[in-house]
Amino acid sequence: MALIDATLDLIFDKGIDAVRLDDIISEVGVTTGSLYWHFRDREDLIRQALAEHLRRSIEATVEGINTALDTATGRDDYLAQLTPFLANPFDPEHVDARWRRFELLVSTRRDPELRELMHDLQVRGQRAFVDVLTKAQQRGMFRDDLDPVAVATAINALSLGSNIVGVLGEDGPTPAAWFGLMGFFVASMFPDQPKRP
């Protein structure tokens, strides 16, 4: 994992072109033979590092949403706990993470091995998210007339596509308008609250 972590640090600090195997080997303190025992070549190391980054990101998001479901005291508390997982096109760290994911997805068009890795990661992430949504349905926290697969796919697409807000700049929505819409979107997936007498 140290080779992966060192590679990711270099990629995110200086870009993929800056990844040199000698630098990675030196930083981690392994031999060239050890690196080649785990990875075929530089491209394989980069491919595996980027896939691992995406896997960690998906896992953290699913875990956070699942924890919110397990600990929420009600609908409003659940919504509040989901807020950190909403697409935030105004936070540079979130934007950078989504651009890296987008660039990784684009790279799959030229790299069949990366395409297979990404497919497996996306499918695993999708299934984990669908499981959380199904659990939420069983607990009455998610409308039972909505298909969890369709919702998981829509949320994934919305998150990835939210970078358009940065591209639009001043012609895009304000933060208040964006988060108001996201709140409306998420709240619409909850069953109607019973009316109080």
Side-chain angles (χ1 to χ4, degrees), residues 6-110:
T7 302
L8 286 172
D9 288 345
L10 193 54
I11 289 170
F12 297 147
D13 187 40
K14 297 183 179 176
I16 288 176
D17 292 339
V19 174
R20 306 270 185 271
L21 293 183
D22 290 340
D23 295 339
I24 301 295
I25 289 167
S26 173
E27 176 159 339
V28 176
V30 298
T31 64
T32 303
S34 178
L35 183 135
Y36 284 112
W37 176 261
H38 297 287
F39 306 99
R40 282 191 316 273
D41 52 26
R42 176 183 179 272
E43 286 68 33
D44 188 39
L45 173 61
I46 291 169
R47 188 182 299 120
Q48 296 289 339
L50 291 171
E52 176 61 17
H53 171 70
L54 181 57
R55 185 198 64 76
R56 291 174 186 173
S57 174
I58 291 169
E59 188 176 274
T61 299
V62 170
E63 182 180 327
I65 293 169
N66 210 8
T67 299
L69 180 61
D70 289 340
T71 61
T73 58
R75 175 182 169 165
D76 291 341
D77 184 34
Y78 187 49
L79 278 171
Q81 289 190 49
L82 289 179
T83 299
F85 303 103
L86 295 177
N88 184 347
F90 305 98
D91 180 330
E93 189 175 315
H94 287 214
V95 170
D96 286 346
R98 279 191 305 280
W99 276 118
R100 285 192 296 266
R101 184 173 172 203
F102 187 76
E103 290 164 351
L104 189 55
L105 286 168
V106 169
S107 297
T108 66
R109 294 177 59 104
R110 298 182 303 278

Side-chain angles (χ1 to χ4, degrees), residues 89-179:
F90 305 98
D91 180 330
E93 189 175 315
H94 287 214
V95 170
D96 286 346
R98 279 191 305 280
W99 276 118
R100 285 192 296 266
R101 184 173 172 203
F102 187 76
E103 290 164 351
L104 189 55
L105 286 168
V106 169
S107 297
T108 66
R109 294 177 59 104
R110 298 182 303 278
D111 187 337
E113 289 180 51
L114 182 59
R115 185 179 315 125
E116 186 176 331
L117 270 173
M118 286 295 294
H119 174 264
D120 291 345
L121 281 169
Q122 291 295 138
V123 167
R124 281 198 317 245
Q126 173 86 350
R127 288 178 181 159
F129 197 34
V130 167
D131 288 346
V132 172
L133 292 172
T134 301
K135 185 166 95 174
Q137 277 181 326
Q138 293 166 349
R139 294 187 181 176
M141 295 293 285
F142 179 67
R143 287 176 33 187
D144 59 9
D145 63 329
L146 295 176
D147 175 35
V149 174
V151 173
T153 304
I155 290 172
N156 194 16
L158 178 64
S159 175
L160 191 58
S162 68
N163 275 7
I164 193 69
V165 173
V167 173
L168 292 172
E170 292 179 8
D171 293 318
T174 65
W178 175 262
F179 288 113

